[in-house]
Amino acid sequence: MDYDVLIIGGGVGGLTLASKLARCGIKHLVVEKEVKGGLIYKGELLQPKSLQILDGVDVLTELEAHSYQLDKIHTYEVELRKGSSPKTLYHSRLNYDWLPTKYNHARMAPHEKIRDLLLNKAKEYSAFDYWKPASFVRMKQADSKEQIAIIKKDGREIEVKAKVIVGAEGRISPIRKEMDSTLHSMQYNHHFLTVTFPRPPTLTEATIMATRTHFVGLFPLPDNQVRSVYMIEPGRYKEMRKAGLDPVFQAYYDFMPEMEGYVDQIKKWKDIQLMIPIRHNTSHYTEKGMAILGDAAHSVHPMAGEGMNMAIQDADVLGELLCWMFTNNRTEYENLLWYERVRKPRSEFVSSLSHQSALVYSFPYKPWQRIRMKALRHLEHHPRLHFKHLLNISGMGMWKMNVLDWARHIGFPPGESFRYKLEEERMIDHFFKREEDYPWEKI
Ligand SMILES: Cc1cc2nc3c(=O)[nH]c(=O)nc-3n(C[C@H](O)[C@H](O)[C@H](O)COP(=O)(O)OP(=O)(O)OC[C@H]3O[C@@H](n4cnc5c(N)ncnc54)[C@H](O)[C@@H]3O)c2cc1C
């Protein structure tokens, strides 16, 4: 079996790459071990850059019909009161429509739907081959000339040769091990419960609600559903399961009384998934003819909704590079390093951004909530802070905070947010340009 590219893992990252390679006629095989997807919850929030990439592989129009558009994210700092609606202490909005691009919103789509659309798109091309179920076992050979992988399919071990092997197999990545890429990982002082249930008609926009000690995120999905994440202390999951579903329902009613009649449609604890956030980064993304992308290369705290988006963005850059390498006969392995040069700094930046967002909700102290409210107010009302944050989470560009920006978060210099002007050209200037996304095209 000979291919140009072998992709291990048919998740969103692997399939985005496949749909890009398929379009430029690169002979490739995707190997996916799971017969059935969708058993565990995975990301559903698509950021603007991902929408642009999905448009580029021609799946966005269909995706629009199966997803829910988010123009804003509302954050409420509240105080819970027994038997009545929570008292809003502060309400802030993050407006995606500030982005001067047609991709000026996010979308919520069921993870399996995104995978299916990408898979069906890749299947339209003869350059695409797909083995499922089949799993990567080990490398037989990995050097600068040729890669030979052992794949298990139908109970047999098969040798698959490829010029390039891509590990898109998620957090536990055997290809990463083959590459000897060092993993740095950390965990957090909280876990999440996540579940989808029908949403009340009033819940039409992404809504985050936080008290000093609790956090709930509600993200509308199509078909009148909502994805929710509820923060809990580590170790509480088992004891909560023993207590039955009623306390869970009550926790949602406390935040939003109109949840009555909706959240209680959850029938069993099995529908609720425990999510343990992990952050990991790896020392390198490429080695000889191997590369890793998505969760194999980095895993981020879900607070900023970036994990799946980073996988899509990796696949975009790697896909463009492989197309260029194969169509221009530039398959020297050193060229794979372009992928790492573009994506590693960006991923590390988004990883630290997600980490900071997690810290914002990690300390259950009153003064901390006050600081958070202050920071939220300035983030919303200072045009520079609002745009920077939006740009950074959208994936459309990268504009790091400087010391003065941190001061702006707590209101210094006073009154500047009213005077500060941010012209559209200045905003666009911070968007990634083609030569930054795909710098090898210039050589
Ligand atoms: C519980 C949970 C909650 C999350 N919440 C969010 C969120 O809210 N927002 C967000 O953006 N992201 C979220 N993420 C992260 C997001 O799901 C991942 O970042 C994204 O799915 C990564 O895509 P991927 O293609 O790299 O990996 P995956 O989606 O993990 O796909 C890897 C694929 O490889 C296959 N595979 C694994 N090993 C082998 C093998 N040896 N041979 C063949 N195939 C193999 C797997 O079956 C799988 O299909 C969450 C992840 C988890 C686990």
Side-chain angles (χ1 to χ4, degrees):
M1 298 282 165
D2 278 24
Y3 291 91
D4 291 327
V5 179
L6 168 63
I7 303 171
I8 311 297
V12 163
L15 291 173
T16 304
L17 179 62
S19 53
K20 289 199 70 105
L21 299 185
R23 292 165 75 82
C24 58
I26 294 173
K27 206 172 158 227
H28 65 292
L29 167 68
V30 175
V31 170
E32 168 54 50
K33 73 171 182 184
E34 295 295 342
V35 188
K36 258 173 108 180
L39 297 178
I40 60 162
Y41 163 67
K42 290 190 169 181
E44 290 162 333
L45 179 77
L46 289 162
Q47 299 284 6
K49 182 71 175 182
S50 304
L51 298 179
Q52 186 186 46
I53 293 166
L54 295 177
D55 203 9
V57 293
D58 221 7
V59 298
L60 185 61
T61 310
E62 219 184 323
L63 181 89
E64 279 172 358
H66 300 281
S67 58
Y68 191 91
Q69 181 167 324
L70 299 179
D71 298 310
K72 288 184 176 51
I73 297 180
H74 297 261
T75 304
Y76 296 86
E77 290 291 333
V78 297
E79 203 175 271
L80 300 186
R81 298 181 296 189
K82 277 257 169 300
S84 67
S85 300
K87 180 178 168 194
T88 300
L89 304 175
Y90 191 70
H91 171 197
S92 81
R93 300 153 197 85
L94 189 68
N95 300 310
Y96 276 102
D97 52 16
W98 271 45
L99 288 172
T101 159
K102 68 174 180 169
Y103 308 103
N104 61 353
H105 50 266
R107 285 194 165 272
M108 283 291 290
H111 192 87
E112 285 312 302
K113 191 74 216 175
I114 305 170
R115 271 171 71 147
D116 285 353
L117 290 174
L118 287 164
L119 178 60
N120 291 340
K121 185 49 69 179
K123 278 182 178 166
E124 289 174 13
Y125 298 85
S126 59
F128 173 72
D129 214 348
Y130 187 53
W131 290 359
K132 175 183 163 173
S135 63
F136 171 84
V137 182
R138 63 181 179 280
M139 293 299 291
K140 182 176 174 193
Q141 178 184 316
D143 60 32
S144 53
K145 290 199 185 88
E146 187 175 56
Q147 323 304 316
I148 306 176
I150 306 294
I151 305 295
K152 193 164 185 184
K153 183 173 178 263
D154 302 328
R156 288 188 309 127
E157 289 199 348
I158 304 168
E159 278 187 15
V160 177
K161 288 184 193 161
K163 292 201 178 75
V164 175
I165 292 199
V166 179
E169 9 46 329
R171 282 181 188 178
I172 300 161
S173 162
I175 299 291
R176 184 178 65 228
K177 283 201 194 98
E178 296 280 353
M179 283 172 40
D180 259 341
S181 189
T182 316
L183 191 69
H184 307 279
S185 54
M186 63 165 291
Q187 296 209 13
Y188 290 85
N189 67 350
H190 52 261
H191 293 168
F192 292 98
L193 297 179
T194 179
V195 59
T196 292
F197 52 82
R199 67 182 148 90
T202 47
L203 185 61
T204 54
E205 301 207 81
T207 303
I208 289 168
M209 299 179 94
T211 64
R212 182 171 60 79
T213 49
H214 287 88
F215 170 98
V216 66
L218 299 157
F219 295 86
L221 277 162
D223 301 325
N224 299 319
Q225 301 283 303
V226 59
R227 162 64 62 183
S228 75
V229 282
Y230 185 81
M231 191 189 271
I232 59 167
E233 297 87 34
R236 258 199 80 206
Y237 176 67
K238 275 194 186 150
E239 141 207 344
M240 286 178 83
R241 277 194 76 136
K242 274 194 205 136
L245 283 169
D246 285 342
V248 177
F249 301 156
Q250 188 58 50
Y252 280 91
Y253 305 155
D254 287 348
F255 270 107
M256 224 184 221
E258 57 268 47
M259 282 293 179
E260 204 162 343
Y262 295 91
V263 64
D264 34 70
Q265 291 187 45
I266 301 170
K267 292 286 169 260
K268 43 191 187 319
W269 254 103
K270 254 188 156 174
D271 297 334
I272 305 176
Q273 196 185 311
L274 174 70
M275 199 163 104
I276 301 176
I278 293 174
R279 178 187 188 198
H280 76 223
N281 286 301
T282 45
S283 56
H284 52 282
Y285 294 2
T286 61
E287 170 97 23
K288 294 178 195 143
M290 294 182 279
I292 45 174
L293 64 74
D295 276 15
H298 39 67
S299 177
V300 294
H301 190 283
M303 190 62 86
E306 293 290 353
M308 174 174 65
N309 294 283
M310 290 164 77
I312 292 173
Q313 290 159 27
D314 286 349
D316 175 60
V317 172
L318 184 57
E320 286 290 326
L321 175 60
L322 289 168
C323 286
W324 175 85
M325 284 168 63
F326 282 93
T327 49
N328 293 291
N329 234 348
R330 300 290 302 268
T331 51
E332 315 87 84
Y333 298 117
E334 300 77 57
N335 280 326
L336 275 179
L337 277 171
W338 283 109
Y339 159 63
E340 184 170 313
R341 270 180 223 140
V342 175
R343 283 301 303 161
K344 197 160 182 281
R346 293 186 191 181
S347 299
E348 285 172 357
F349 174 66
V350 174
S351 172
S352 63
L353 201 75
S354 301
H355 176 65
Q356 283 157 18
S357 307
L359 293 185
V360 165
Y361 294 100
S362 292
F363 307 110
Y365 312 114
K366 229 182 180 138
W368 188 249
Q369 190 186 26
R370 271 193 234 112
I371 295 172
R372 192 165 70 212
M373 284 195 284
K374 201 168 192 183
L376 275 173
R377 187 166 76 238
H378 295 296
L379 180 72
E380 180 184 3
H381 294 294
H382 197 298
R384 180 183 165 106
L385 299 184
H386 196 125
F387 174 70
K388 266 195 178 190
H389 185 66
L390 202 58
L391 180 80
N392 291 336
I393 61 165
S394 72
M396 300 297 286
M398 192 163 90
W399 191 8
K400 292 183 179 172
M401 296 279 171
N402 58 26
V403 180
L404 200 56
D405 289 328
W406 290 117
R408 286 178 172 120
H409 265 290
I410 48 168
F412 293 102
E416 194 197 51
S417 54
F418 300 106
R419 303 188 296 270
Y420 198 92
K421 291 268 173 294
L422 193 61
E423 283 90 26
E424 196 167 303
E425 301 85 73
R426 258 182 85 199
M427 294 185 184
I428 292 173
D429 232 33
H430 292 280
F431 276 39
F432 293 130
K433 294 169 191 62
R434 189 168 174 97
E435 59 270 26
E436 290 170 299
D437 281 343
Y438 318 130
W440 55 86
E441 288 179 344
K442 283 181 75 184
I443 58 168

